[in-house]
Amino acid sequence: MDQEIQTKQRMPWNKGKLIGQKSPLKLKEIWAIRIRLQMAKNTRELALFNLAIDSKLRGCDLVKLKVCDVAQGGRVSSRAIIMQQKTHRPVQFEITEQTRDALANWISQAQLKSDEYLFPSRIHDSPHLSTRQYARIVEHWVTSIGLDPAAYGTHTMRRTKATLIYRRTKNLRAVQLLLGHTKLESTVRYLGIEVDDALEISEQTEI
């Protein structure tokens, strides 16, 4: 019996789920989710959604953000910098006006102090939103607009703005910096760029 319990405890949370590169959201899908959250007056999730899109952070970094990471002196900053948990390297991100407004509303409503986590957990065992809780919230977002949750996940939020930036600018180096990747090859794989596309960019880049 003990062995059976231990086996269950060791079982990964994503066992049985479709694993692979998650699709980014399209612009109309971003707005569909955003408008639903606005209409529902869900201040917390609107702030989380907007910041997830803007920051392009991994879920493990997003859930551990503190108020002081994005706001100083009661005002939300237009840019922020954090140390990535996976690479131990700093990464910067922009905070757009609508995200700043959403964050300011959430911080005020939740009466969060500067040294507190931006998204506290509603479960006593965890001081901040867990990556599993975040994954469930993302699943709810995509399901609410009729998307297949198996094709989307937390990495959807990380990839969405990066993909839009790449498609508009074809600037792979800029996207690499924004994602905090150490190698350009990682960015190519992450965005799912075709080899011919990558070679075309390389050919147009004179050194």
Side-chain angles (χ1 to χ4, degrees), residues 8-199:
K8 285 182 178 178
Q9 288 175 340
R10 286 198 302 268
M11 191 175 292
W13 67 270
N14 54 7
K15 182 175 175 60
K17 295 183 183 290
L18 179 65
I19 304 301
Q21 199 168 62
K22 299 300 183 182
S23 302
L25 293 171
K26 299 184 174 108
L27 203 53
K28 65 179 182 179
E29 294 164 348
I30 295 171
W31 277 104
I33 293 171
R34 186 176 281 150
I35 289 168
R36 280 176 178 270
L37 293 174
Q38 288 171 342
M39 290 177 66
K41 293 183 168 41
N42 194 331
T43 312
R44 173 179 178 254
E45 287 194 17
L46 181 61
L48 179 63
F49 178 78
N50 283 348
L51 187 58
I53 295 285
D54 271 359
S55 70
K56 302 165 287 292
L57 291 175
R58 295 178 182 87
C60 60
D61 291 323
L62 181 68
V63 298
K64 289 181 181 175
L65 285 174
K66 291 193 171 182
V67 174
C68 58
D69 290 323
V70 299
Q72 301 293 333
R75 293 187 62 183
V76 180
S77 309
S78 59
R79 290 186 180 182
I81 182 169
I82 67 144
M83 193 67 69
Q84 298 174 97
Q85 181 178 304
K86 182 177 179 180
T87 64
H88 304 291
R89 290 168 61 92
V91 65
Q92 295 188 62
F93 56 90
E94 76 287 356
I95 307 175
T96 58
E97 185 177 358
Q98 65 182 343
T99 301
R100 293 198 299 273
D101 289 344
L103 284 169
N105 289 338
W106 165 240
I107 291 168
S108 174
Q109 179 182 303
Q111 299 182 325
L112 298 173
K113 296 185 177 69
S114 179
D115 62 345
E116 291 184 315
Y117 285 107
L118 193 53
F119 300 105
S121 175
R122 291 169 177 171
I123 299 171
H124 295 301
D125 292 344
S126 175
H128 57 75
L129 192 70
S130 71
T131 51
R132 182 180 290 191
Q133 289 171 307
Y134 175 46
R136 281 198 284 261
I137 291 171
V138 173
E139 182 177 339
H140 175 71
W141 288 340
V142 298
T143 304
S144 72
I145 60 168
L147 297 176
D148 179 4
Y152 299 84
T154 56
H155 269 283
T156 289
M157 309 306 296
R158 176 161 157 78
R159 292 185 68 213
T160 291
K161 194 166 186 177
T163 302
L164 288 171
I165 291 168
Y166 172 72
R167 285 175 182 165
R168 288 177 183 176
T169 67
K170 297 293 185 181
N171 190 330
L172 204 53
R173 172 61 178 160
V175 176
Q176 178 195 3
L177 291 170
L178 292 169
L179 288 173
H181 285 161
T182 53
K183 295 180 180 178
L184 202 60
E185 292 85 348
S186 301
T187 309
V188 171
R189 285 196 304 272
Y190 195 78
L191 293 180
I193 299 170
E194 296 295 333
V195 174
D196 289 344
D197 197 0
L199 286 171

Side-chain angles (χ1 to χ4, degrees), residues 196-207:
D196 289 344
D197 197 0
L199 286 171
E200 184 183 338
I201 296 167
S202 182
E203 288 166 357
Q204 292 171 358
T205 306
E206 294 184 6
I207 300 173

